[in-house]
Amino acid sequence: MDAQSYNTALADLRTVRDQIRKARAALAKLEGDRDKRIVQLASYEKAKAERIAPAAGLSVADIVSLAPSLAPDSLTEESTDASAQSPTPATHTPPKNAEPEPAAQPAAVAPAMRTMQPQAAPADAPAVTAVPDAPRTLPSIPEGGTGDAWFAHTSGLASTRPNFTQQARSTVFLDTDTGVLVHRNQTHRLDLANRSAADILTTVFHTIPEGVERIYITAGDPWHRDTDRHPYLRDAVAAWLNAPIPGWRTDTGRGRDRMAGHFVHARNPVGRYQRDSGDSHVEIRSVGEWFDTNGDDPATIRDAFVLLWQALRRHWNDAVIMGSPSQTGRDLWTRTIPTRGQHADGYPVLSEELRGLLHATAGQGRNELITPPRVPDELPQLVEYDRTFAYAKHTWKSPVGTPRRITAHTFATWSEKEQIRALYGCGHWQVRATVPDAWNHVGLLPAPAPGDRAWHYPASPGTTFTTWVGGPELHAALTNPIQPWKIEILDGILWDDGKPLDDWAKRLKETWSNLSAQAHFQGDPQQARAAHLASRAVRSILLYGIGAFAQRPRMVTGTTPRTMERDVPADAEIIGFDDNVITWQKPTGFARDPNAHPEWAAAIWSGARAALLTQRHRDDDTYAGALHTPPGTVVAFRTDALYLTQPHNWPYHHQPGDYLLKGNLNGPLAAPTTEEELLTLRDAGRAALTSHRET
């Protein structure tokens, strides 16, 4: 083969690769449709896996994994027999004044908070064979000294108060649909030609010759202009960001700002550029990072940022609005780190091993759609309740100090009082949970599901699973108003209780309250709208600021000319390509981030998920949440929102965490079976409620 034949064959290979990607996308869509139809067939009372399997071209095991209710009787009997022979003793309440039980017996705790020590599997237990699409196994802490070494902080890495003032950046607001540009108090109309990054930079810098450092796109999503030419949205975004711009190149960072390179995101990407000559740096961002716009013009959006800055300045005299809510949130938090007292030296960062464990075992919001037969095929209503500014409710207590490992043996030797205090404290626990036999409501604890970082919530009576869970959810499982779950403590991480986020969150809550009141009482409609958007931006600062503490492993994105394919890193994943450039990303592990505190994010997320189940309103002496609704009436959970088939008279005082009635759609309605169907009903319910209130 000569060089010409070689290059021709490479071109042909690329064509085949592109066709394979498109075919895989089409196949995934068909498989999703097939699985949906299988689940629908399973709702028929006489459905059998043996008949569905050949029709679907799958095995009986595959059908049962999609619809567990279709498990053949022989399998069910086997499972029952196995559980009957299980060596795990039944939960019992020890008599008063009894001698402490040996470690092999269940740990004695308060009757309302019963837990059990884990039991070893019999030596002759059969090996477990991996099943396709089986739930992933979560990591554990190694035994002995290896695991004990995880319980330390990273040397020389701690969150400390900054000794510098952030510098504000010259910012403009641009609607790429209309070409309207707002800079300070001036409005310009631009001809953006094809709305490429080159067109935007050239036109903006011609209009504002003194220089611009940040361009917020308020409408138009120009990075989506060529979506029909790419199989995936990310491909279109990457191509838009990486298109050559005469006189400009990708930014490599400057000064204290280490942000460099483009951020490829399907909806809210970030393009970072610098001039080939001179020291001009500019980033193109989406306002969608901060809040949802509803046709708001650039002038109103600029006013919202001005109001936001003014409101933050009342609580931070050096507040600066940075490019994203997460950057702004963490910067403001660092300026609340105490200069005196216990934490004046800062908050140390956990070992990389514990950060990795928390990343793998602490999920974020609960997103679950409950479908027939667990809910009726026809819903009488779909009622949406959304927890207002939810995460702000759960920042009053957070883990601090050096973490301690609490093994199953250690937990079993503690007194009842010590166990209760630990479960109420700031902890992250590995448990084996069992759904009670008579359980007929929603699942309480997250369990690993097939797929990267996917979670589900087992609710079938008798189901046993192993997972990691935060203290608030563990407390809800043990003390819920229906029936306590059986919980076995396998391992745990326990911290001291502290308030590292309390001052920060209080200032943000006051800022949010002031802006919300301003939006309500402002007589000028444009200023009222601007104040509302500013209040939503405060919510994003806290929400994404908390998410930033989680510090996920870094992904580096890069590009390589297609003529130099061999230079793509061996461990990189190709996420986009066009005729000229290959875009790839690869993991690089955890950065030495002094503000990495996944233990704080995990505790808040766990508290928020628990509050979706049960939340006490002390002033009203009542409770709200999914467990305070009749069985079969919960349709879905969606981060901070709860979707029900009937309304409830839950207290609402405009406080963080309160359940706000946000949508109400009367039926009968076909129960949603996909997220798309749920969102369609949600939007209709919000519109119906707004229309009802206006009349």
Side-chain angles (χ1 to χ4, degrees), residues 13 36 41 57 76 136 156 173 178 187 249 272 300 373 430 438 478 494 521 525 529 553 573 588 598 610 633 636 642:
L13 183 60
K36 177 182 174 181
L41 286 168
T76 306
R136 69 191 188 285
F173 300 84
T178 63
T187 300
R249 64 180 184 274
R272 301 185 179 98
T300 301
Q430 186 182 33
L478 291 165
L494 189 62
F521 294 108
R529 177 62 180 171
E573 174 192 2
T588 59
T633 63
L642 191 59

Side-chain angles (χ1 to χ4, degrees), residues 216 263 268-270 285-291 323-326 540 544:
Y216 275 125
F263 174 60
N268 298 313
V270 182
R285 311 188 72 110
S286 170
V287 163
E289 294 180 84
W290 291 87
F291 41 67
S324 69
S326 61
S540 296
Y544 294 116

Side-chain angles (χ1 to χ4, degrees), residues 58-296:
L58 297 174
S59 68
V60 172
D62 292 331
I63 300 299
V64 171
S65 68
L66 290 167
S69 61
L70 297 181
D73 292 340
S74 59
L75 292 179
T76 306
E77 290 166 4
E78 273 186 25
S79 175
T80 304
D81 294 343
S83 62
Q85 298 170 11
S86 170
T88 304
T91 303
H92 68 281
T93 304
K96 287 186 177 181
N97 304 320
E99 291 293 325
E101 295 178 333
Q105 298 298 319
V109 295
M113 300 187 71
R114 183 88 51 231
T115 63
M116 296 185 65
Q117 185 186 0
Q119 305 297 310
D124 58 350
V128 177
T129 303
V131 179
D133 294 329
R136 69 191 188 285
T137 301
L138 298 179
S140 301
I141 303 171
E143 297 294 336
T146 302
D148 294 341
W150 290 17
F151 288 77
H153 291 118
T154 300
S155 177
L157 197 62
S159 305
T160 56
R161 193 182 184 101
N163 57 4
F164 64 92
T165 301
Q166 289 287 358
Q167 297 300 308
R169 293 194 176 184
S170 175
T171 302
V172 299
F173 300 84
L174 174 64
D175 182 333
T176 59
D177 277 340
T178 63
V180 172
L181 174 79
V182 173
H183 176 235
R184 296 176 183 161
N185 293 321
Q186 297 180 332
T187 300
H188 307 268
R189 288 197 173 272
L190 311 183
D191 180 1
L192 297 175
N194 294 320
R195 299 189 301 153
S196 66
D199 294 331
I200 290 173
L201 290 179
T202 301
T203 309
V204 168
F205 274 79
H206 176 75
T207 306
I208 314 294
E210 62 265 32
V212 171
E213 295 175 283
R214 183 176 297 135
I215 301 171
Y216 275 125
I217 305 299
T218 65
D221 295 341
W223 35 80
H224 292 162
R225 67 190 184 114
D226 290 329
T227 53
D228 57 333
R229 296 172 52 190
H230 299 272
Y232 301 103
L233 202 57
R234 283 174 60 96
D235 292 351
V237 172
W240 189 88
L241 291 171
N242 291 300
I245 304 176
W248 294 83
R249 64 180 184 274
T250 303
D251 201 345
T252 55
R254 53 173 170 159
R256 294 181 182 275
D257 186 358
R258 300 302 180 190
M259 302 298 288
H262 304 314
F263 174 60
V264 181
H265 186 278
R267 301 294 176 186
N268 298 313
V270 182
R272 301 185 179 98
Y273 306 94
Q274 67 181 106
R275 282 196 188 276
D276 289 336
S277 59
D279 193 35
S280 294
H281 298 254
V282 64
E283 58 184 15
I284 300 176
R285 311 188 72 110
S286 170
V287 163
E289 294 180 84
W290 291 87
F291 41 67
D292 292 331
T293 61
N294 187 24
D296 298 295

Side-chain angles (χ1 to χ4, degrees), residues 457-510:
Y457 294 80
S460 299
T463 301
T464 296
F465 58 95
T466 299
T467 190
W468 283 86
V469 65
E473 288 167 290
L474 189 57
H475 180 252
L478 291 165
T479 65
N480 71 80
I482 300 175
Q483 184 181 5
W485 283 29
K486 174 184 162 186
I487 302 293
E488 303 172 52
I489 300 295
L490 305 179
D491 213 337
I493 310 168
L494 189 62
W495 290 266
D496 294 333
D497 296 352
K499 294 182 176 292
L501 303 176
D502 194 42
D503 183 29
W504 173 71
K506 282 180 178 177
R507 297 189 200 188
L508 289 176
K509 283 186 279 190
E510 289 180 20

Side-chain angles (χ1 to χ4, degrees), residues 573-591:
E573 174 192 2
I574 295 176
I575 59 174
F577 53 86
D578 57 25
D579 293 338
N580 302 310
V581 174
I582 299 170
T583 304
W584 49 265
Q585 66 179 16
K586 68 172 186 174
T588 59
F590 291 98

Side-chain angles (χ1 to χ4, degrees), residues 325-590:
S326 61
Q327 290 173 287
T328 305
R330 289 217 301 186
D331 180 69
L332 293 176
W333 172 75
T334 61
R335 298 173 194 280
T336 65
I337 297 175
T339 55
R340 289 185 286 183
Q342 181 181 2
H343 300 291
D345 293 333
Y347 295 94
V349 173
L350 295 176
S351 68
E352 185 168 333
E353 291 82 5
L354 277 189
R355 280 182 279 153
L357 180 74
L358 286 165
H359 169 69
T361 60
Q364 193 172 351
R366 177 170 182 168
N367 289 285
E368 180 185 21
L369 176 62
I370 300 172
T371 56
R374 292 177 60 192
V375 296
D377 290 317
E378 275 196 349
L379 310 181
Q381 288 176 279
L382 185 68
V383 186
E384 178 189 8
Y385 286 97
D386 187 72
R387 295 187 65 232
T388 299
F389 205 15
Y391 286 2
K393 176 81 172 178
H394 307 287
T395 54
W396 64 277
K397 182 177 75 171
S398 302
V400 294
T402 303
R404 292 175 289 153
R405 182 177 189 178
I406 310 300
T407 64
H409 174 75
T410 299
F411 187 86
T413 61
W414 281 355
S415 67
E416 174 184 308
K417 185 176 181 180
E418 289 173 318
Q419 289 179 342
I420 294 174
R421 185 186 301 118
L423 296 178
Y424 267 106
C426 293
H428 191 58
W429 302 92
Q430 186 182 33
V431 303
R432 183 180 295 120
T434 300
V435 183
D437 290 337
W439 190 257
N440 67 343
H441 219 295
V442 298
L444 304 188
L445 301 180
D452 181 37
R453 293 189 61 76
W455 302 88
H456 66 153
Y457 294 80
S460 299
T463 301
T464 296
F465 58 95
T466 299
T467 190
W468 283 86
V469 65
E473 288 167 290
L474 189 57
H475 180 252
L478 291 165
T479 65
N480 71 80
I482 300 175
Q483 184 181 5
W485 283 29
K486 174 184 162 186
I487 302 293
E488 303 172 52
I489 300 295
L490 305 179
D491 213 337
I493 310 168
L494 189 62
W495 290 266
D496 294 333
D497 296 352
K499 294 182 176 292
L501 303 176
D502 194 42
D503 183 29
W504 173 71
K506 282 180 178 177
R507 297 189 200 188
L508 289 176
K509 283 186 279 190
E510 289 180 20
T511 304
W512 171 79
S513 296
N514 292 337
L515 288 168
S516 297
Q518 189 173 340
H520 182 72
F521 294 108
Q522 173 61 251
D524 184 323
Q526 179 172 329
Q527 287 301 301
R529 177 62 180 171
H532 171 72
L533 293 177
S535 72
R536 299 296 294 172
V538 176
R539 174 187 177 276
S540 296
I541 288 173
L542 185 134
L543 176 68
Y544 294 116
I546 290 168
F549 286 124
Q551 197 223 18
R552 292 164 177 80
R554 294 181 66 192
M555 296 294 292
V556 172
T557 303
T559 59
T560 301
R562 290 193 70 155
T563 56
M564 301 174 66
E565 284 188 52
R566 68 185 67 186
D567 292 337
V568 174
D571 56 345
E573 174 192 2
I574 295 176
I575 59 174
F577 53 86
D578 57 25
D579 293 338
N580 302 310
V581 174
I582 299 170
T583 304
W584 49 265
Q585 66 179 16
K586 68 172 186 174
T588 59
F590 291 98

Side-chain angles (χ1 to χ4, degrees), residues 634-654:
V634 179
V635 177
F637 298 87
R638 190 169 171 80
T639 310
D640 303 328
L642 191 59
Y643 296 83
L644 309 172
T645 62
Q646 61 187 50
H648 291 269
N649 189 27
W650 291 334
Y652 185 74
H653 303 299
H654 301 273

